[in-house]
Amino acid sequence: MVLITEELIRRRAEHNNCEIFSLEEISLHQQEIERIEYIDRWCRELKILYLQNNLISKIENVDKLKKLEYLNLALNNIEQIENLEGCESLQKLDFTVNFIGELSSVESLKQNIHLRELFLVGNPCTEFEGYREFVVATLPQLKWLDGKEIERSDRIKAMQNLCQVQLQIREQEQAYLKKRDTEKQEAKKKLENQNQKEKSEAKESKPGFNGRWYTDINNTILDYEENKECVHETQGTEKHKDSDEDEIDKKFWEEPTPFTPESRLETHRHLEEKRKATDAKRETEKQKPPRKLITAEGRALNVNEPKLDFSLSEDEDNNQIVLDLAVYRHLDTSRLDVDVQTTYIRVTVKGKTFQLVLPSEVKPDSSTAKRSQITGHLVVTMPKAVEVVGPRPTLPRPVKSAPDKAPTDNTRMAKQMERLEVDPSKHSRINLENIVKKKQPVAQGPLKLHRPAMLESLCSTGDFDDDSDVPPLI
């Protein structure tokens, strides 16, 4: 049972800075409220009150709202119009799709002299013969009934036939009230039978695995085959249970029921039970064992729970590893959590884990993570822990060229060759090769010696006399 609390009213009064003492309008629709309470104490300045689509069965605790002008109670379980005499400023009243069968209860609205519009569409009383004539004649201050304007001629006709219409309305009311008593008794019996059935089912159910009782832990250990059979049996039982629930749900909605407050409450209870069962099932699914990220040996595993595309590349020039993770474009960055370790990286996206083992060790403290403003991707840059020593890049030396003529490849080669040649005259060190002169080669032999070439040249001239007594010069 949902109650009207101060917290609820303050939450629905955000447009008034959560102040309720000066509140003039409040909407409490679709809150499953069953009783109207506390509003006449906390919100005395109310002018508009929305209470449609709830489970309210009685009008109460609104008679002190002197400034109330519009009250919406559509889609509730109200059966009688009452307790509205104190609403002196009431101008519009909406009872669409309720269960008002006592049409004579509209006579309580005679004191609401400012009432101009009244809606009773979808109530059992609208099916009474003479319904509109009775309401028009009973409430002379009305201008509109069920969205249709009341003409002066309609009011005159209704006043002329008021006595006869009143007798018809009384008879139809009595028949309707008898029918309602029968429906209430049937609904009460049905509810009692349903409670007894639930109690008997609760007694027959037994705790334990697969409906068995166990007292000895050792006896609960099953071998592989038996355990496998139990698993298949449990899965079959769950499937059978789901099919039974679907059949019950289908039977519930297809079964014809009378249009009564009890049937509406039963529908609400059925939907509530189904919602709780669905929430419980989701809760059990969420409580599955956590995914294994690190093995017992301490080895990290590759995991991609969010199922995102990614690319891992190595930037050899900057000696770093770059991860590009295709995160959802409109995902808030606060839903991301990045954890870089020396051998792996872990990214949590909306509670789901993405973990990737790195090809080499990195420096976590020097790593950076950024989001792309265009694609929304997450780019993580991780410098490698081991630095690679390589040759320094050599810068090309500038080559001078003639201003009027562009140097060709041949001239460049020639200049480079000129740099490699050495001028002997400009050599600063002493040349030791010329200290001792090389001897001319002389033919070897004990009998005959060859003369040097210089002597031969001298002998060939006329100024040279060859003396045989003089030994040859060596």
Side-chain angles (χ1 to χ4, degrees):
M1 182 176 179
V2 180
L3 302 176
I4 297 178
T5 60
E6 183 178 352
E7 181 183 359
L8 174 62
I9 294 179
R10 289 191 184 278
R11 188 170 66 248
R12 306 295 291 185
E14 295 178 353
H15 59 283
N16 198 43
N17 297 326
C18 297
E19 296 179 357
I20 60 176
F21 68 93
S22 61
L23 193 63
E24 296 184 355
E25 178 181 348
I26 188 170
S27 178
L28 298 174
H29 65 286
Q30 296 181 350
Q31 297 293 321
E32 300 179 1
I33 299 170
E34 297 185 17
R35 286 191 60 186
I36 306 174
E37 50 188 358
Y38 305 123
I39 295 179
D40 57 338
R41 302 180 187 176
W42 299 337
C43 310
R44 292 290 185 89
E45 303 295 323
L46 267 184
K47 293 183 179 180
I48 301 175
L49 176 58
Y50 295 99
L51 287 169
Q52 68 269 25
N53 204 355
N54 283 293
L55 301 172
I56 300 170
S57 58
K58 186 178 181 180
I59 305 173
E60 55 186 347
N61 300 322
V62 292
D63 55 337
K64 295 181 180 179
L65 300 177
K66 305 296 182 181
K67 298 182 180 180
L68 187 64
E69 298 177 359
Y70 177 34
L71 176 60
N72 192 334
L73 285 166
L75 295 168
N76 279 281
N77 295 339
I78 297 171
E79 298 187 59
Q80 186 178 2
I81 302 174
E82 55 185 347
N83 301 325
L84 291 173
E85 296 83 2
C87 301
E88 300 174 355
S89 303
L90 191 61
Q91 299 179 13
K92 186 177 180 180
L93 191 57
D94 194 346
F95 290 115
T96 303
V97 190
N98 274 272
F99 300 94
I100 299 174
E102 297 185 36
L103 187 56
S104 59
S105 61
V106 298
E107 296 177 355
S108 62
L109 299 175
K110 287 183 178 180
Q111 300 182 16
N112 302 101
I113 58 176
H114 298 288
L115 187 63
R116 295 293 180 266
E117 295 183 55
L118 178 62
F119 290 88
L120 292 170
V121 179
N123 286 271
C125 64
T126 58
E127 299 177 2
F128 293 172
E129 186 179 354
Y131 147 74
R132 185 174 178 84
E133 290 82 358
F134 178 80
V135 177
V136 171
T138 305
L139 303 177
Q141 72 272 29
L142 277 184
K143 299 295 183 183
W144 298 80
L145 177 60
D146 297 334
K148 185 177 180 182
E149 187 177 4
I150 301 174
E151 302 289 343
R152 184 179 180 186
S153 58
D154 297 336
R155 195 176 303 278
I156 293 173
K157 291 178 182 179
M159 293 298 295
Q160 290 176 352
N161 301 326
L162 181 58
C163 296
Q164 183 180 355
V165 171
Q166 284 179 344
L167 292 175
Q168 292 178 353
I169 296 298
R170 301 294 181 187
E171 292 176 359
Q172 295 176 78
E173 274 187 1
Q174 294 298 326
Y176 174 78
L177 293 175
K178 288 180 181 180
K179 181 182 175 183
R180 278 293 298 137
D181 292 338
T182 305
E183 291 174 350
K184 288 179 181 179
Q185 292 176 4
E186 291 178 355
K188 187 177 181 181
K189 289 180 181 179
K190 186 177 180 181
L191 184 60
E192 290 177 355
N193 295 334
Q194 186 176 358
N195 292 335
Q196 290 179 359
K197 184 179 179 180
E198 291 178 355
K199 288 180 181 179
S200 61
E201 290 178 355
K203 288 181 180 179
E204 291 177 359
S205 61
K206 294 182 180 180
F209 175 75
N210 200 13
R212 302 177 183 177
W213 287 90
Y214 294 113
T215 55
D216 188 3
I217 298 177
N218 296 324
N219 293 334
T220 62
I221 301 175
L222 305 175
D223 58 2
Y224 176 77
E225 295 297 332
E226 186 178 355
N227 192 11
K228 189 175 180 180
E229 292 177 1
C230 290
V231 170
H232 287 301
E233 184 179 353
T234 304
Q235 292 177 353
T237 304
E238 291 179 354
K239 291 180 180 178
H240 184 66
K241 185 178 179 181
D242 292 339
S243 62
D244 290 345
E245 290 179 355
D246 293 339
E247 289 293 333
I248 293 172
D249 189 62
K250 184 178 180 181
K251 182 179 178 181
F252 176 82
W253 292 111
E254 291 181 353
E255 182 181 0
T257 55
F259 182 65
T260 59
E262 291 78 16
S263 63
R264 179 175 284 182
L265 288 173
E266 185 180 2
T267 303
H268 175 263
R269 283 195 297 267
H270 178 78
L271 293 174
E272 187 68 17
E273 290 175 0
K274 190 173 182 180
R275 183 181 63 81
K276 289 181 180 179
T278 305
D279 293 344
K281 188 176 181 180
R282 289 177 180 174
E283 195 68 24
T284 54
E285 291 177 355
K286 288 181 179 180
Q287 293 177 354
K288 59 184 180 181
R291 183 181 289 273
K292 200 173 194 180
L293 302 176
I294 307 295
T295 61
E297 296 81 11
R299 183 171 59 88
L301 301 176
N302 292 327
V303 179
N304 190 359
E305 285 185 347
K307 298 180 180 179
L308 299 174
D309 296 334
F310 67 94
S311 64
L312 188 68
S313 59
E314 294 190 32
D315 187 359
E316 296 181 356
D317 296 337
N318 298 319
N319 194 29
Q320 61 187 6
I321 300 174
V322 180
L323 172 65
D324 186 351
L325 187 61
V327 180
Y328 316 116
R329 181 176 182 180
H330 301 288
L331 180 66
D332 191 356
T333 308
S334 62
R335 305 297 299 274
L336 295 174
D337 184 20
V338 182
D339 182 16
V340 180
Q341 300 295 331
T342 55
T343 58
Y344 66 91
I345 178 174
R346 182 183 301 168
V347 182
T348 305
V349 183
K350 295 177 65 176
K352 296 182 179 180
T353 304
F354 173 88
Q355 182 170 290
L356 189 64
V357 179
L358 302 176
S360 60
E361 294 186 358
V362 298
K363 299 178 182 179
D365 297 338
S366 303
S367 302
T368 59
K370 296 181 180 180
R371 288 283 301 276
S372 174
Q373 295 182 354
I374 300 175
T375 62
H377 288 199
L378 177 66
V379 180
V380 184
T381 305
M382 299 164 283
K384 293 183 180 180
V386 179
E387 296 184 358
V388 179
V389 180
R392 293 182 179 179
T394 56
L395 298 176
R397 295 181 180 179
V399 179
K400 295 182 179 180
S401 58
D404 55 342
K405 187 176 181 181
T408 61
D409 295 340
N410 295 331
T411 56
R412 290 178 183 176
M413 292 294 295
K415 289 182 179 181
Q416 291 179 359
M417 293 299 294
E418 289 177 1
R419 290 195 191 94
L420 294 177
E421 293 179 357
V422 179
D423 189 1
S425 61
K426 296 181 180 181
H427 206 284
S428 60
R429 293 182 300 174
I430 300 173
N431 191 2
L432 301 177
E433 294 179 355
N434 300 326
I435 294 178
V436 180
K437 294 184 178 179
K438 294 182 179 180
K439 296 181 180 180
Q440 294 294 332
V442 181
Q444 300 295 330
L447 299 179
K448 186 178 180 179
L449 297 174
H450 293 276
R451 294 180 180 180
M454 184 181 293
L455 294 177
E456 290 180 358
S457 61
L458 291 173
C459 292
S460 59
T461 58
D463 297 333
F464 181 76
D465 293 334
D466 187 12
D467 190 356
S468 59
D469 295 334
V470 178
L473 297 176
I474 299 174

